[in-house]
Structures are given as C-alpha cells and as structure tokens.
Amino acid sequence: MTALALPALHASHAGSWLREGAGATRALSKGEAVMAAADTPLLLLNAPLIATRLGYPDLSGLDLLELFAFVHPARFCVPTPKGLAHALGLEEPGSDGEVPLLLQSAAAALLAVCAREDWAERAGAWSALQSLSRLRWPWAQVLGGHIAKPAQAERWLFARLPEWEEAPERAQPAQVLLDELEIEGHLERLTGEGAERREGQRHYARSAGAVFAPRRKERLPHVLLAQAGTGIGKTLGYLTPASLWAEKSGGTVWVSTYTKNLQRQLRAESARAWPAARPDGSPPVVVRKGRENYLCLLNLEDALQGGFGGRAAVLAQLVARWAAYSRDGDMIGGDLPGWLGTLFRRRGIAALTDQRGECIYAACPHYRKCFIERAARASAQADLVIANHALVMVNASRGRDHAQRPTRIVFDEGHHVFDAADSTFAAALTGLETVELRRWLLGPERASRGRRRGLAARLADVASYDEAGGRAIEAALAGAQALPAEGWLARLGENAPFGPVEALLAQIRAVTYARDESGGVEAGYGIETEAAQLPGELIEAAGAAQQALAEIRVPLLRLAARLEAVMEDPPDWLDAQGRARIEGARHSLSWRIDLLAAWEAMLARLGGPPDPEFVDWLAVERGEAREYDVGLHRHWLDPMKPFARVVLEPAHGIMLTSATLTDRDEEGPDWAGAVARSGALHLDLEPQTAVADSPFDYAARAEVLIVTDIRKGDIPALAGAFARLVEASDGGVLGLFTAIRRMRAVVSRIADRLARAGLPLYAQHVDPIDTGTLTDIFRDDPRASLMGTDALRDGVDVPGRSLRLVVLESVPWPRPTILHRARRAAAASLLPGGAQQYDDRIIKARLAQAFGRLIRTRNDAGHFVVLSPAFPTRLLPAFPPGTPIIRLTLEQALQRIEGGIGNGVGREELQST
C-alpha cells in the first residue's frame, strides 16, 4: 500500500477537507467527515485535535504524529501541517484545502526514510514493529514493507542503554574571591569579539560576583536581589561569575528556574561557558528535575510485558523507541515530544514515571542504567546544575546526600520563589494523598496494576533477617488498612465511608458544602471553608483519624531504626546493591514519617486555638463540575520562614533575580516587598540589591491600551472584542484570562469566525494539547493566536512577529481565597497602604509579567491591551517607565493596532479622553 493511495482528512475551525487516494481534494460537512472517518482508516494529523474539531471523540486513523514518533524518536516537530512540512523539508500548505495532499506527501516521505540505509534511528525499529503489529497498531501494516528484517537479532532496549559509573566524592570547593575586572574580562570572552558592549550587563555580572565570595559568618549567606530588565543579557550575566567561580573553586553552582522554557534557554546559553563534555566524557552542565519527570525503566518494562493494554500499550512501545535515543530520559519538557502523551487520551506518560516514589533503587534490575540515578550522579560532579525551584527546595530539605545539597544558588525567575516555597512547605491531608500512601504501603489493590509492590515486598529479605523489623512492617501494614482505598470518593457521595480517615473526609465534605456561599457548586469550581468553629462530629472524627495515622507512623519509626541497625551491623549477604536499596528505603521512610507527623499535627489543632504561623482550611476540589478530592489544607502564613531555615541558612551564596523582582511606583523600584519575599529578614540579614534597567525603547516600541467600553461580565461583548482585536492584528495575539470558564466561552464563539479568515486559534483547557506544545505552535505561525490562563502569563517566550499583541481579559485581581485573605490581613498592619497595597503588589507584578511577554528582543514591537472600564490609575507604574498608556474605546484601539506602533493617531487627544 503506497502512502499516496491512502485517503487523507483535515479538519479545522474553518471546515473539513478530504482527499481520496490520488483524486481531488473536496470540502465536506462535519457529518460527512465523521462518516468518512468511521468507514475507512484515514491519514490524520493529531487525531485528538481533529476529533475535537469534528465533535467525534471516537475518531481514530493513521495519525502522522505517531508515525513521526516511530521514525524519528527524540526529534522535535511542531504538530501542525506547517510544522510537519518544515520538519520533513516539504513545501508548507497555502490553505486548509491543501493539507490532505501534504499529509499524503509527509507519509510518503516518512516511509521513504525507513527504506534508506542511512536511517539514523533504524536500530530497534524492526523489533518494535513486530510488537506493534501484535497490538494492531494501524501503521504496522503500512510500515511492514518498508522496514527490512536485520541480519542479526537486535538487542533489546535495556541491553543497549549505557550504564552509569560510580565517581569519587567531590572535594569541598576552594574559597576564592572574584575580582570585578576578572569578571568583566570573562564576560567579554563569553559574549565574543565584536559583540555589543552592554553596560547594564557588565554592572549586573559584577554585582552577581559578590554571591560567590567566602561566607563571613555561619548560617548567614550572601544574599543578592538583582532586578534585570528584559534585554540586558541576564542569563549570561550570572553565568559569567558562576562559571568563573566553578573553574577556580572546583564547586557546583545550581541555577533554579520556574519554567521549562528557561531551562532549555539555559542549557543553550551555558554552551558558551562550558564545553559539551569534559576530557573524561562527563558533562559539566546537567539539567536536573524531580523524579516524576524521568522515565522509570522498570515501569516501562512492566508496560511492555503486558502491564498496559490497548492504545496505552502502543504508547509504551513508542516511548521505548524514544528511550533508546533520548538525551537524558526526561519525559516532561525534555526531548520526548510533548504531544505524544496527548495522542493516547490517558495518563500513560505519568504511569511510566516514578510519580509515587515507589523506586526500589538497587533492587531494580535496571538500576545501573536508570536515567534518574544517572542525572543525580552527574549533578554531583557537574559545574552547573540547572534545576527548578521545587526540586531545589525539596533537595535542600530532604536530599539523600548532604554533599549534593546546593550551597551556591541562582534563583532565576525569582519572583516565583514565594509561590514555590508556599507549595513545597505546605501540607494537605486529602483523599488522593492518603490513597497514594496506602498504595505505597500495601501495593496495588488489583494484580492487573503491574509491578507496583508494597513495603513488605520491597523489604522482604530484611524482614526475614530482622525479626523486630518484620514486626514493624506487619504493624504498619495493619495500620494502613485504615487509609482510604479505591472508590473512596463514591463512598463519600453515598454517605457510606469506610474506616476512620474516610469518615473524617466525609465530615470535611459535609461541612464544606454546608458553609459554601461562593456558588462554586454550580460554577464547577472548588469550594472551601476555614477550619474554625467546627462541629463536634468533625472534631471527633479528626481524633479517630489522628490515632489511625499514629498507628502507621510509630511502626514506621521502629522500622527506620531497625534499618539503621542493619546498616551498622550488616549481615554477610548484604552486598553493595543491598545497602543502596536499604538507604533508598530509609530515605522514603523518612519523608513519609514526616508527612504523617504533619497530618497528625494538623488534626490535633482542629477544635483548638488557631496556630498563628499557619492557615488551615477545608476544601472540596472540583473540576469540570465534578469532585476529585476532599481534604484539610495547611499553608504557612509566611512560607519564607521555612525557606530561610531550609534553603538560605545552610547556603553560602544566594541570588534572586528577575525582570519583575521589585514593586514599582512613581519614584522607581520599591525593594521592601522583594526583601520580604526573599526570606532574608528571617535570618536577620540585609540583602544586597542591584538594578540593571532594560535597554529597550518602550516609548517607541510598545503601547498600553486600556479599553474602557467593554462591560465586565458581558461575554458576547468580550468575545466580539477579542475577535476584532485578533483580526486587527492579523493574528499574533496572546490572550490572557483570569477564569477558564470565560476563556472557553469566548473561544467557542470566535474560533470558527477567525479560522475562516485564515487566523488559527488555540487555547489551553480547550484543545487536547499540552501547554508547551501550544506555545511551540504559536511561535511557529505568525498568524496563529493563543488563549490561556496563568501558566501563559509568565511561561511564554515568543520573540519576533509571532507575538505582537497581548490582551488581558480584565485586571488580574487576586483570587479571594481563605489563604489570600489571611495573608492580606497580616500585611495590612505592616504596609503603609494596608491591605490594598498588598493586593496592588500582586496585581502590578502580574501586569508586569504579562507585559514582559510582548517585548523579548530589541526589534520586537506591539500593543498591550487591557479590557477594563475602570482600570485603577494607581496600577499604572506596573508598566516600564516611558511606555505610552492610553485610555480609549475599542474602536480607537482597533485603529491603533491596525496602524502599528508609532502611527501617530491622536495620542494626545486619546490620553485626554
């Protein structure tokens, strides 16, 4: 069967088109397209997206993205017709009607690659195809005639992967002092001869060098808060002293980020300062993420051997193809295509990672080839470790190896450190969390769930050798029977809880619904109520649940002590791998014991006076108008207190940097908020500060347009405004919403209209595509527009013409949660402007972050629109000084956008309107 003989279907918001074999392409209705897809296997591109466009969820066919993932694993491809054409060197389609022919040409091109002798990813393809044939993968029959059987049997994936090697512990870094002239000279070498001399970057790099000076006093690190405007070269500015210090001291610098985009940028930028590999082959730069980001080889093996069925089994085979060619096994934001998991409509990707912390370490047959262990060991020897805020905080608080805990850290995107600490140091006693603990202790409830083994199976040899340890395991497992099991949420809905913890969750659910005043039930959002003035039934249930949790924690404490004794006086049969496995078990036990202790402390406070350090509340989490979790939550009122103790205090040098680190007012940067959010005050130290202003001419390259005639809550008017703004800009629009519901309502009203004008529209929570891939699509097509929520406000880096208009649906007010109310009240007595100033800081930071999406390079230009009838004047300092800010009607805004920046359309008149 030739690819050009296969019929091809394409569907967008503008319509549907079908090409049957070598015939002509014709337009057809949605109904006709669904009938065609139901009768014959068709060539498609991104089947879930096409299914959404057609309203036919059962759509299946020959998805070219699946073929691309098989032929070119670990290669990048934007999952659009244009992106596929670019990836394969084909001519991009000029219209939707030309896409079916492109799909046929792309299929032919991919099949031709399989027949070539120089196919770079040939190894393992024939064996994978045999497995996929047994799974009845639609492409298997087509590929059969293009992939020849190898002359020799192919080695299986797990035999081909390289093993990591042990390395000696790295020596303590030397104490060095960086000279400012030395830093400047190194910066000139890294930027290259003839590069533009940027004084802001030079000043910034010199300031960053102070972080790496020897610490003067125990538990008092050097702390630098450095605000760096967009365009000064911030990344290279701090990598310069970091690389110089690493070279002179032999130490490791950690750079922590919040978004995956910046991690990719850092990996690329670091090539200027470090070679790709040292003479011994080890990498000087390592990207490090949490365990849940990496492929677990044991989970993959289970999936390949029958643990997955149906379409999920096909996914496992394609992931195995990728694993053989992956750079580092990173499944979330690495070189695994972000769209691959969305093609299979279930959480198959998550099931292949170590999300539940069930790693058996050295007992795993793939331990010496494990991607996670490889990354951990490489980071211990690296000069630069690129990580994320959450991992840095978790590693600092419960890292297995004290020698690997970071002591010199640069927190890029430092304005997110407060939120990351808030999440890291919080506790949540919820149904989902307790079910996960039960699985970790007891193993799977059903044998069909694959390898996931319980505590007894993981430590069977220890239990048989150490009688006291065996009794502790038995007691912990008996206690685990009190934890919620599968089906707990349905039992709560039927008012039939089983066990003391489910009984507590039932009481929490009942009280939360009884007190709800938000309308959240009808709106489909989560609801919450403060943990105060609670009924006696809930207090009584909390006491019983607390006792049940203690009956798990106490045996786990005894088990931890017995494991320590075994390590101190090991039996003859305990080899190096066994010791490593027990060390891993001790680490897992430690943080679960801490988790149980935190839950017990939360329950002990219920009914008594509130702890002034914490904010507690009850919540029922909802999504898509249905419940998915119930529980008790506890957050620090000021999460920078534990951050200061856990992260700052042991460190020697900490730098927090961002383009929006400080609050802005008419007089310039206000450092008070940044200092408070750094945690430095909790160590009684005064951080150093530095400012490097952006070199961009915002007055000439950008305008802020505040549209005053779109009434709040008027969805038809809001949708009409968005459609006209996209049309006026000819695409290239990033739309930011404060509520998913409003975004969906707008997108559903305007997508077809824009598509008919050749203006593709994509949206978070609407299109079945992950956020990273949506950004790739948006960046790749200058006429595309993207709608989203908070994740896009600070996670989109799209320089050039692809982004020329940012539209905020409204002023980004803080959501009035119980936690926000408590922090607002606490700030009211500390800030000159009281509670309003606390809110204004949050709003101005969000506005500044959103505006920062617009101008990413010196040549960028565009408009920033806020749809607000009464935008508060006090928030205007959020925008860069000199940026024109104009209040006007929608019609006037459309004129300015159509004319472009600097069109001179009555600015003075409009400002006075």
Side-chain angles (χ1 to χ4, degrees), residues 12 65 199 291 323 343 370 386 428 451 510 527 601 605 624 644 684 808:
S12 73
L65 291 180
E199 286 304 323
R291 303 182 66 87
L343 300 181
C370 174
I386 302 169
R451 171 198 53 90
I527 55 176
R605 301 293 304 191
E624 299 294 338
D684 196 25
L808 262 65

Side-chain angles (χ1 to χ4, degrees), residues 55 230 276 287 350 479 483 540 579 591 598 609 661 823 849:
T230 306
V287 176
L483 294 172
E540 184 179 354
R579 292 178 67 90
W591 71 266
L661 198 61
R823 288 177 176 161
Q849 290 154 19

